[in-house]
Amino acid sequence: MALVTSTNLAADIFRTCYLEGEFLLRSGATSREYFDKYLFESCPELLRRVTRALVPFIPPETEALAGLELGGVPLAVMLSQFTDLPTVFVRKEAKAYGTSKFAEGIGVRGVRLLVIEDVVTSGGQLILSIRDLRSAGATVTDALCVIDREAGGTSKLEVEGVALSELFTISELKEAWSQEDR
């Protein structure tokens, strides 16, 4: 992986995560390009910069951060370190052993959560997790992501009564990368 040295965070994220080749997508379709979001989360320096940039987006009434499996967890942990807010780790489904919980960490009943995700596309899993958290007694009115792929997630979350804030849209990442002197 190339070292990230630019001061342009959007361009650095795009440069780090954008791949060309042949990729099978979840939908079954193939694509000649792919955005591997785990590459920015696994680079400590870049993850720190992303986290610092996310802090101002946290609503002041937030009592805890809820990181969604898998990509939202490292972001929530890092944000917790920067803000001293407790963290909840949210599984896609409750585990079948041990405590059998879908939300690990502090209890969520009566807690105002900010749901954290790395990338939002359609918002499907985010919506399911928010519904689960609300069913467990949490208050969820806001979600935060690093990248909005601009594929309908924001409007679907609005229908659920959740405002999505993003650090960048995929268009902004592409634009920043194209503007950078390569």
Side-chain angles (χ1 to χ4, degrees), residues 14-169:
F14 190 87
R15 183 184 325 100
T16 301
C17 299
Y18 180 76
L19 304 173
E20 292 180 330
E22 188 169 325
F23 303 95
L24 178 62
L25 304 178
R26 183 184 300 176
S27 66
T30 58
S31 176
R32 298 190 69 206
E33 60 181 12
Y34 188 75
F35 193 81
D36 187 348
K37 60 193 181 179
Y38 296 113
L39 293 176
F40 82 76
E41 291 179 305
S42 63
C43 176
E45 185 265 341
L46 190 52
L47 182 58
R48 270 190 302 277
R49 288 173 55 209
V50 166
T51 304
R52 282 188 193 105
L54 288 172
V55 169
F57 290 89
I58 298 174
E61 63 275 7
T62 301
E63 296 175 311
L65 306 166
L68 299 190
E69 178 186 353
L70 177 66
V73 169
L75 292 164
V77 169
M78 287 291 290
L79 281 167
S80 177
Q81 294 301 298
F82 279 81
T83 64
D84 287 329
L85 289 167
T87 306
V88 176
F89 308 103
V90 183
R91 299 175 185 277
K92 291 178 182 168
E93 59 184 54
K95 62 183 184 176
Y97 56 91
T99 60
S100 302
K101 293 180 180 179
F102 80 91
E104 301 284 355
I106 66 163
V108 298
R109 181 168 303 287
V111 177
R112 180 173 289 279
L113 299 175
L114 173 63
V115 178
I116 310 293
E117 184 63 294
D118 52 3
V119 176
V120 172
T121 305
S122 68
Q125 184 58 52
L126 189 55
I127 290 168
L128 292 174
S129 295
I130 288 168
R131 288 177 181 167
D132 288 342
L133 290 164
R134 286 175 171 169
S135 291
T139 300
V140 180
T141 58
D142 296 277
L144 176 59
C145 69
V146 178
I147 301 159
D148 179 355
R149 288 192 197 229
E150 302 171 293
T154 300
S155 60
K156 289 179 182 172
L157 285 161
E158 284 175 1
V159 170
E160 297 288 322
V162 176
L164 177 67
S165 297
E166 75 281 337
L167 185 57
F168 299 110
T169 64

